């Protein structure tokens, strides 16, 4: 009787023999199959490397496409914008300098005073002494108001 080596686990925790791809069902020897970072046994056609963290991921893993660059990344390297709900990769998202909430780049504005990124809820349009208008984060606006007093 033939027994395949155990090479991975599926989502329900049960063991998977190492000769069948959990994604497409392709049969292969245990040396042809690999285990992704989430313990799914996969063939070479169903595997990829996350472009951000370089983890080995398969088609069965939770994969997310960045709304900005359309690149597919693993769930650990994706962020859902708290303002608009879009999903972004780590290169196209970041925290607001005021509230520290994660936002996509479309929902962050560079403060004209300090250069930090702030979410649209924490920026105000201001007029500088030279007459130009720009956006400043609420922290810089508060500092300017306090300095005038």
């Amino acid at each position: 009787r033939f027994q395949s080596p155990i090479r991975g686990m599926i989502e329900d925790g049960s063991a998977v023999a190492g000769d069948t791809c959990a994604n497409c069902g392709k049969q292969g020897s245990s040396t042809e199959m690999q285990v992704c970072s989430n313990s799914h046994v996969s063939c070479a056609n169903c595997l990829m490397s996350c472009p951000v963290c370089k983890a080995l991921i398969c088609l069965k893993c939770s994969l997310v496409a960045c709304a900005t660059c359309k690149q597919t990344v693993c769930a650990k390297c994706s962020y859902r914008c708290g303002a608009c709900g879009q999903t972004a990769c780590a290169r196209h998202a970041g925290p607001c300098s005021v509230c520290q909430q994660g936002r996509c780049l479309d929902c962050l504005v560079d403060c004209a005073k300090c250069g930090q990124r702030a979410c649209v809820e924490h920026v105000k349009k201001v007029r500088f002494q030279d007459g130009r208008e720009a956006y400043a984060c609420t922290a810089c606006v508060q500092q300017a108001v306090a300095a005038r007093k």
Side-chain angles (χ1 to χ4, degrees):
R1 182 175 143 187
F2 175 74
Q3 286 190 318
S4 298
I6 293 177
R7 304 261 305 176
M9 306 291 278
I10 57 175
E11 290 139 355
D12 67 1
S14 59
V16 177
D19 62 354
T20 304
C21 178
N23 300 286
C24 69
K26 177 183 175 183
Q27 295 280 319
S29 70
S30 60
T31 57
E32 294 175 312
M33 299 293 166
Q34 293 185 42
V35 179
C36 75
S37 60
N38 290 314
S39 301
H40 303 127
V41 175
S42 300
C43 67
N45 291 336
C46 293
L47 284 172
M48 67 179 277
S49 177
C50 174
V52 178
C53 70
K54 307 301 181 211
L56 194 60
I57 52 179
C58 73
L59 299 176
K60 195 169 185 105
C61 294
S62 296
L63 304 176
V64 180
C66 173
T68 304
C69 67
K70 309 298 184 226
Q71 195 166 42
T72 301
V73 297
C74 71
K76 291 187 303 185
C77 294
S78 66
Y79 303 90
R80 181 166 296 280
C81 178
C84 70
Q86 287 192 79
T87 302
C89 67
R91 286 187 297 239
H92 295 109
C96 168
S97 61
V98 177
C99 68
Q100 302 306 310
Q101 295 297 309
R103 300 289 188 253
C104 69
L105 293 185
D106 290 340
C107 293
L108 291 172
V109 178
D110 291 336
C111 174
K113 181 133 175 71
C114 69
Q116 297 291 314
R117 289 183 173 154
C119 64
V120 294
E121 293 89 8
H122 292 109
V123 293
K124 297 206 182 294
K125 195 170 196 176
V126 296
R127 184 180 303 263
F128 288 95
Q129 290 177 344
D130 63 6
R132 68 183 170 96
E133 290 184 342
Y135 289 95
C137 68
T138 54
C140 287
V141 170
Q142 290 169 354
Q143 286 176 354
V145 169
R148 286 188 206 135
K149 291 182 179 182

